[in-house]
Amino acid sequence: MTKSERKKLFTYLILLCLPFFSISGCSKSVDKAEEVEKSEKLTVGPPKGGDFTLQSAGAPFSLHDMKGKVVLIFFGYTSCPTACPTSLSIMANAFSRLSVEELDQVQGVFISFDPERDTIEALKTYTDYFHPNIIGLTGTPEEIRTIAKKYGAFFIRVIEKESEMGYVFSHSTETYLVSGDGTLSEIYSDRTDPLTLSEAIRRHLLKK
């Protein structure tokens, strides 16, 4: 990578780290990093969401099978140091505020954009740590990029030669709420508190 290309990448990643985009995981040495893989940055206009099918630890998971349930979706990766565990903890905390009857109508989904490291087994172990109503999903890089674009999520894989991990991701950190009819209804930032999220879930359950 030339000096000019590194400068452009550095400028681009700095913009990605601005609070306006609510992005996490930016490397402190991005001027020395090499961009390897990225999703589409944003959808044109408000994201529309939509149906998808990915692999879980059990049978394949399809959003259309969740008809009648409120589904919360988060895109991330299990090696994420801060944003992913924080957001899944908020989701789990929101779930803990629901009754057993309400939990039966709610599903949390963690879609990994790191299929190279996040196997189905690794995802199950990771999501089980937070809450039994959260499942991990994976697929091919092409499938994941397509789904991320539908929801307005994006990610950039950055090589870190000096790190044992080899690479990290800079990525969006929103949680997407899909109502019982499969519609992407609300988007919450990583600063949303669990009470607000649980109240939103209840509000959509009452609409059924």
Side-chain angles (χ1 to χ4, degrees), residues 63-71 104-106 178-182 204-205 208:
L63 185 62
H64 62 255
D65 289 336
M66 296 293 105
K67 185 176 181 180
K69 290 190 175 184
V70 172
V71 180
D104 285 341
Q105 306 173 71
V106 177
V178 177
S179 56
D181 61 358
H204 282 275
L205 290 177
K208 292 175 56 179

Side-chain angles (χ1 to χ4, degrees), residues 153-193:
F154 63 98
F155 54 90
I156 296 177
R157 186 169 73 166
V158 179
I159 293 295
E160 286 199 336
K161 296 180 180 179
E162 299 177 358
S163 169
E164 292 184 0
M165 291 178 61
Y167 61 87
V168 296
F169 286 90
S170 291
H171 61 94
S172 52
T173 57
E174 285 74 29
T175 295
Y176 304 89
L177 188 153
V178 177
S179 56
D181 61 358
T183 301
L184 173 58
S185 299
E186 298 177 25
I187 302 175
Y188 293 91
S189 77
D190 57 354
R191 297 180 180 86
T192 302
D193 63 272

Side-chain angles (χ1 to χ4, degrees), residues 83-96 129-130 134 194:
C84 297
T86 297
S87 293
L88 290 186
S89 294
I90 292 171
M91 187 185 297
N93 195 322
F95 287 174
S96 71
Y129 173 81
F130 294 97
I134 302 176

Side-chain angles (χ1 to χ4, degrees), residues 123-153:
L123 282 167
K124 177 171 174 49
T125 299
Y126 186 74
T127 56
D128 282 352
Y129 173 81
F130 294 97
H131 197 280
N133 277 51
I134 302 176
I135 62 171
L137 302 179
T138 187
T140 67
E142 293 75 18
E143 289 172 332
I144 295 165
R145 282 195 293 270
T146 297
I147 297 166
K149 184 178 180 180
K150 285 183 178 181
Y151 283 82

